[in-house]
Amino acid sequence: MHARVPPRLTRAFASAPLYFVTACTERRAPWLADATVHDAFVIYAKAGLDHYVGVGRYVLMPAHLHLFVRVAGERSLGSWMGGLKRVLSAAAGRPAKAWQRGFFDHVLRSDESYAQKWTYVRENPVRAGLVAQAEDWPYAGEIVLIDRA
C-alpha cells in the first residue's frame, strides 16, 4: 500500500470539474484486483499530474474501477481514460479490448458530497464479500487530495 501523504493539488485544479468515473472490464472479467495492475494504476495516475490530471480517491475491484478525477489541462477525460485502460490491460497481460467500451462519468455538482460518494465507493469490497473492513482492501487509495469546497 502507498502510505505516503498525497500532495495537494495546485490552484489550477480548483476550477476544474470533479468527475466520478466507473469503468468495467469486458464481460466483467475479474482481473483488476491485482498488485501489478494496482502498481501500474498508481504510476499512471501520478504521471497524470504532469498533464494537469489529478486522481483523488479510487478503488480497483476485480471487474471494475471507481475513481475521482479532475482534468484541468488540454487533455480530455476520454483520452486520459483510454490511456489508463491501455496501461492496465498491458500490466495484466490482457489485450486492449479487455474493457467494456467507454466508461461512466458524472460531474459532481456543488450540492453533492465527494466525501459521501467516497464513503459509499470505499465500501464496495465489503459489500462484495472480499474483505471484512474497507481498510483491508489493498487496491484502493488516494493519489492527491482533492478538496471539494
Side-chain angles (χ1 to χ4, degrees):
M1 198 70 190
H2 303 278
R4 188 174 72 81
V5 176
R8 189 167 294 275
L9 290 176
T10 64
R11 291 203 179 267
F13 286 94
S15 62
L18 176 58
Y19 295 97
F20 170 59
V21 177
T22 300
C24 300
T25 61
E26 184 66 27
R27 300 180 195 261
R28 305 285 287 186
W31 56 267
L32 286 174
D34 172 85
T36 301
V37 173
H38 183 239
D39 288 345
F41 175 88
V42 170
I43 290 166
Y44 186 82
K46 286 181 177 179
L49 289 169
D50 292 337
H51 304 282
Y52 300 100
V53 177
V55 174
R57 296 171 176 157
Y58 66 90
V59 175
L60 302 181
M61 294 292 290
H64 68 280
L65 62 82
H66 296 291
L67 61 94
F68 295 86
V69 61
R70 286 192 193 270
V71 180
E74 293 181 19
R75 192 160 193 196
S76 71
L77 177 62
S79 68
W80 186 84
M81 283 298 296
L84 176 64
K85 287 180 173 185
R86 284 188 299 278
V87 164
L88 299 187
S89 297
R94 301 258 174 179
K97 293 187 178 194
W99 293 89
Q100 285 183 6
R101 187 178 183 126
F103 55 91
F104 169 80
D105 64 285
H106 173 75
V107 175
L108 293 183
R109 297 178 300 272
S110 60
D111 63 336
E112 294 177 293
S113 168
Y114 176 34
Q116 286 175 333
K117 286 215 181 297
W118 169 243
T119 298
Y120 177 80
V121 167
R122 76 177 209 151
E123 292 295 322
N124 269 0
V126 175
R127 285 191 299 277
L130 300 170
V131 290
Q133 298 178 72
E135 302 81 37
D136 296 335
W137 187 243
Y139 310 114
E142 184 172 38
I143 305 299
V144 296
L145 295 174
I146 296 177
D147 296 325
R148 186 61 192 126

